[in-house]
Amino acid sequence: MRVVHYLNQFFGGAGGEERAGMGLEVREGAVGPGKLFEQAMGGEARIVRTLVCGDNYAVEEQESMLASALAAILEAGAELLVAGPCFQAGRYGIAAGAVCAAAQERFGIPVVCAMSSENPGAELYREKLYIVDSGTSAARMRDVMARMAGLARKLVAKAEIGLPAEDGYLPRGFIRDRFVEQTAGQRLVAMALAKARGKPYEPEMPPPAFTPIPKPPPVKDLSRARIMVITDGGLVPRGNPDHIESSAATRWGRYSIEGVADLRGEDYEISHGGYDPQFVRQDPDRLVPVDALRELEREGVIGKLHDEFFSTSGLANPLSNTRRIGREMAETIRLLDVDAVLLTST
């Protein structure tokens, strides 16, 4: 079986973040984790090509990257495409999912990729692809490769794929008919009783888990405080200089409002596909209230409005991605002389 494998610059051995801008490279044979995959397949498959691409290039130039990747996959005569494991690496997961989805749609070949359930690529592609749950630690590489190989064998043989827990892939959100001994009501009561008694039970639709966030201490003296605005409503300067995506954004930007008393609609645009932006276009202060905060500044209610605001799009963003963006913003704010942040949304 002829296999093509997609890796990012790190697992492809090209380098770390300093090589994240490298374009797609085509290498003959297996590289790095691909050698483990060949071992796991036990001689049934050979990686004929490895595609290695920098994470930044793969996300920022995705159309060009996909065109080059598909051409290389076609030329290699691939009968199977594997990608990753990507673990928790968000850009890697998004790129691997995009390559697998494109190859599956264009050539109709089996594809298997692997990443953590919190990788934003999992949210984007779990309905289209079989994604093996890699967890977050690269220490599990051999085990993940073994499960990718097992799922690949089934897909190539067109064998029946079991439930996610049986074959080790992430739930795809599909409902399957199956015979069970208890009715839905009986199962629900059994779960409720188990929960009330502190006994283990397995929900049929696991809810997302949110870590409690402790409430921050109050601002001691607002009249001396420097206030900053962050919005997930997608307000950006005209031209969208940071190329913030309107959905599932992977980027955020910081924009100067130094000396600005009132935001003008002709200077800004909205990169957010989840609401009617006409009213914000008319007056961006409706989303980032610079005019009102300048007034409070003049009246001495607040000490000072910080000279820039942060912005991103909060639409359809996987939880892991928003956590990363939040951490990046928080780390930046720690270096600024800011006492409090106003979060505005749509």
Side-chain angles (χ1 to χ4, degrees):
M1 184 192 315
R2 297 175 66 83
V3 182
V4 171
H5 190 194
Y6 178 86
L7 295 171
N8 75 345
Q9 82 281 355
F10 179 77
F11 288 101
E17 193 62 25
E18 75 280 1
R19 295 299 312 279
M22 67 176 277
L24 188 82
E25 289 184 3
V26 179
R27 302 179 186 176
E28 301 303 316
V31 173
K35 296 177 181 176
L36 284 177
F37 182 80
E38 285 185 330
Q39 291 176 15
M41 291 295 288
E44 300 175 41
R46 181 169 64 91
I47 293 180
V48 294
R49 275 187 175 174
T50 301
L51 311 181
V52 181
C53 190
D55 285 336
N56 284 346
Y57 182 88
V59 173
E60 294 170 0
E61 305 292 338
Q62 189 176 98
E63 188 174 340
S64 173
M65 182 275 290
L66 286 178
S68 299
L70 291 177
I73 293 167
L74 179 63
E75 188 180 75
E79 299 167 277
L80 170 70
L81 172 67
V82 294
C86 310
F87 303 102
Q88 191 79 330
R91 291 165 298 171
Y92 187 14
I94 291 172
V99 172
C100 286
Q104 179 178 260
E105 180 179 350
R106 180 74 63 86
F107 307 129
I109 60 174
V111 300
V112 177
C113 62
M115 62 188 80
S116 159
S117 61
E118 288 211 352
N119 191 307
E123 285 300 312
L124 290 172
Y125 294 103
R126 68 167 69 214
E127 290 187 9
K128 294 182 178 179
L129 307 173
Y130 286 102
I131 301 175
V132 170
D133 185 0
S134 69
T136 59
S137 172
R140 298 179 59 204
M141 180 70 79
R142 184 176 292 277
D143 171 59
V144 175
M145 279 303 187
R147 284 189 285 123
M148 290 178 74
L151 191 55
R153 285 193 193 93
K154 282 193 167 185
L155 289 171
V156 170
K158 300 186 185 324
E160 182 179 356
I161 306 298
L163 294 173
E166 296 168 351
D167 278 327
Y169 63 90
L170 297 175
R172 303 176 70 190
F174 301 147
I175 297 176
R176 287 188 182 185
D177 292 332
R178 60 184 301 193
F179 291 104
V180 294
E181 295 182 355
Q182 293 183 313
T183 66
Q186 290 171 323
R187 300 197 304 275
L188 178 63
V189 170
M191 283 190 283
L193 290 174
K195 183 176 182 179
R197 294 166 179 165
K199 295 183 177 179
Y201 66 97
E202 185 175 348
E204 296 179 8
M205 184 177 288
F210 298 97
T211 304
I213 305 297
K215 186 168 58 178
V219 177
K220 291 181 179 177
D221 185 354
L222 200 57
S223 67
R224 295 176 180 270
R226 182 185 290 263
I227 307 297
M228 178 181 188
V229 178
I230 296 178
T231 182
D232 69 352
L235 186 72
V236 295
R238 186 149 307 271
N240 191 4
D242 292 300
H243 307 290
I244 295 174
E245 304 91 334
S246 61
S247 175
T250 60
R251 305 183 185 92
W252 57 280
R254 49 192 297 185
Y255 306 113
S256 175
I257 50 174
E258 184 176 5
V260 176
D262 184 26
L263 300 182
R264 301 184 305 173
E266 59 266 35
D267 296 331
Y268 293 90
E269 64 184 67
I270 304 297
S271 182
H272 192 299
Y275 70 102
D276 182 353
Q278 61 174 316
F279 301 109
V280 177
R281 284 188 186 134
Q282 292 168 2
D283 185 356
D285 293 287
R286 288 170 173 151
L287 185 62
V288 179
V290 171
D291 56 352
L293 289 166
R294 290 294 186 206
E295 187 175 332
L296 294 174
E297 191 179 53
R298 287 193 298 273
E299 294 173 352
V301 177
I302 64 172
K304 182 171 173 50
L305 176 61
H306 184 65
D307 289 335
E308 58 185 1
F309 71 92
F310 293 177
S311 180
T312 189
S313 169
L315 175 63
N317 216 326
L319 188 58
S320 59
N321 211 27
T322 55
R323 282 173 173 157
R324 175 186 60 79
I325 290 175
R327 283 195 296 269
E328 292 174 356
M329 288 181 173
E331 289 167 2
T332 303
I333 292 170
R334 284 195 182 119
L335 303 177
L336 305 174
D337 186 19
V338 169
D339 298 298
V341 173
L342 294 178
L343 300 174
T344 66
S345 191
T346 60

